[in-house]
Amino acid sequence: MAILLLGALGLLAGRLRYRRTAATLYSLAAIALAVSSLTPAGLAMTAFLENRFPRPELPAEVAGIVVLGGAFDTRVARTRGVPELNEAADRVTASLALARRYPDAKVLFSGGVAAVFENDIPETEAASDLFLSLGLAQDRLVLDARARDTFENALYARQLAQPKPGEIWLLVTSAYHMPRAVGTFRVAQFPVLPYPVDYRTPSGTALWRPSSATTRNLEKVHFAIREYLGLLAYRLAGRTDALIPSPSN
C-alpha cells in the first residue's frame, strides 16, 4: 500500500509539473519495491515478532485453552456452508492437539465478526462445526462470538473463562501476533501461558537466504508492517502493557 501511495503521489506531482519531486517519489517507490520483494526484510521483521515468545515447556495440567480467531475464511463458510481454514490454520490444528493432550481442559474459541463493509458470520459458527466434527466434546467447547479484535478477545475470554488463582490457561495464536495478544490479556488481567503457532519464518541462517518468491516476500512485509502498526495503536490506546510485549514485561 505504501509503495502504491508513493507511486500515486509521484503521478500527481508529475501532473502538477513538479518533475523533480515526481522523480524522487518514483525512485523511492522503486527502491521500496526492490527491498520488499528481493530481500529478506519482511522475514526479518516478522521473525522479530515470532521470536518474542518462545514455545514453552508444557505443564502437567491446564484448565483451558484459549484459541484466538483468524483461522477461518468466513466468507467461504457463509456462502458455501462449510468451514474453510486459511493460512492461520495452525491455530485450530494445534489447539485440537492440545485438547487431546489435556482431555479435561476447556477449549475457548474467541472470534466474532471482523468484516466491516459486508454482512458476515462470526468465526464461532465455522469453528463450532469443525471442532465438533473432529471429535471435541460439546461440553468442552466455549464460544465467544462477540469479539471483533484482539482487545475484545482478551476482555470477553476472561469473562467466559472466569480463571481461578493457580489455574493455567494456554493462549494459542499466530507467533507474529503473540506479543500484541499477550499485552492485551495482561491489560485484561487474564494470566495466560503463551503457546505460539503458525510460524511464517525459518530460524537460524535460513532466515537470511535470498528467495525468488517475490510475492511472498512482499506479503511478509505487508503483514509485519500491519502488526507493528497494530502494536503502536494498541499501546497508544492503553490496550497493551508495552509497545512490544515480551515474557519479561
Side-chain angles (χ1 to χ4, degrees):
M1 183 63 72
I3 296 171
L4 291 175
L5 179 60
L6 285 172
L9 290 174
L11 179 63
L12 177 62
R15 291 290 180 88
L16 296 175
R17 300 185 183 280
Y18 294 110
R19 293 185 177 85
R20 184 171 297 178
T21 301
T24 299
L25 291 169
Y26 284 141
S27 297
L28 288 174
I31 292 171
L33 179 61
V35 170
S36 299
S37 61
L38 301 175
T39 74
L43 288 171
M45 294 165 67
T46 304
F48 175 77
L49 296 173
E50 291 189 332
N51 295 336
R52 200 72 169 167
F53 286 87
R55 181 76 68 86
E57 182 177 344
L58 289 171
E61 295 182 5
V62 302
I65 304 158
V66 180
V67 189
L68 300 193
F72 289 93
D73 188 324
T74 52
R75 184 168 61 173
V76 172
R78 173 172 54 84
T79 56
R80 292 192 177 272
V82 294
E84 183 66 32
L85 294 167
N86 58 29
E87 66 275 5
D90 286 8
R91 300 188 190 189
V92 172
T93 56
S95 63
L96 282 166
L98 289 168
R100 293 188 65 181
R101 179 174 181 142
Y102 300 106
D104 296 325
K106 294 288 187 180
V107 177
L108 194 165
F109 181 90
S110 178
V113 177
V116 178
F117 300 110
E118 62 177 322
N119 293 324
D120 208 346
I121 61 171
E123 273 195 82
T124 49
E125 291 191 18
S128 178
D129 289 344
L130 187 61
F131 276 108
L132 297 180
S133 69
L134 292 177
L136 186 69
Q138 189 162 13
D139 62 352
R140 296 181 61 194
L141 183 60
V142 181
L143 299 171
D144 163 32
R146 296 179 294 169
R148 297 164 298 177
D149 55 34
T150 307
F151 181 73
E152 292 185 352
N153 285 144
L155 186 66
Y156 298 140
R158 187 182 186 281
Q159 292 176 5
L160 289 170
Q162 294 291 306
K164 298 177 178 61
E167 284 186 345
I168 298 176
W169 284 76
L170 300 178
L171 175 62
V172 177
T173 190
S174 299
Y176 75 88
H177 180 242
M178 188 60 80
R180 182 153 56 108
V182 169
T184 60
F185 272 73
R186 287 173 177 167
V187 169
Q189 298 183 343
F190 187 173
V192 289
L193 179 61
Y195 191 83
V197 299
D198 182 32
Y199 289 93
R200 304 189 181 195
T201 64
S203 63
T205 58
L207 177 69
W208 304 103
R209 291 175 187 168
S211 171
S212 59
T214 55
T215 301
R216 293 190 67 183
N217 292 339
L218 283 168
E219 182 185 58
K220 294 294 187 299
V221 172
H222 167 74
F223 277 107
I225 290 176
R226 188 177 70 175
E227 190 59 27
Y228 282 113
L229 289 175
L231 283 162
L232 177 60
Y234 268 45
R235 182 55 180 160
L236 292 175
R239 290 185 164 193
T240 60
D241 65 333
L243 179 59
I244 303 181
S246 68
S248 61
N249 60 15

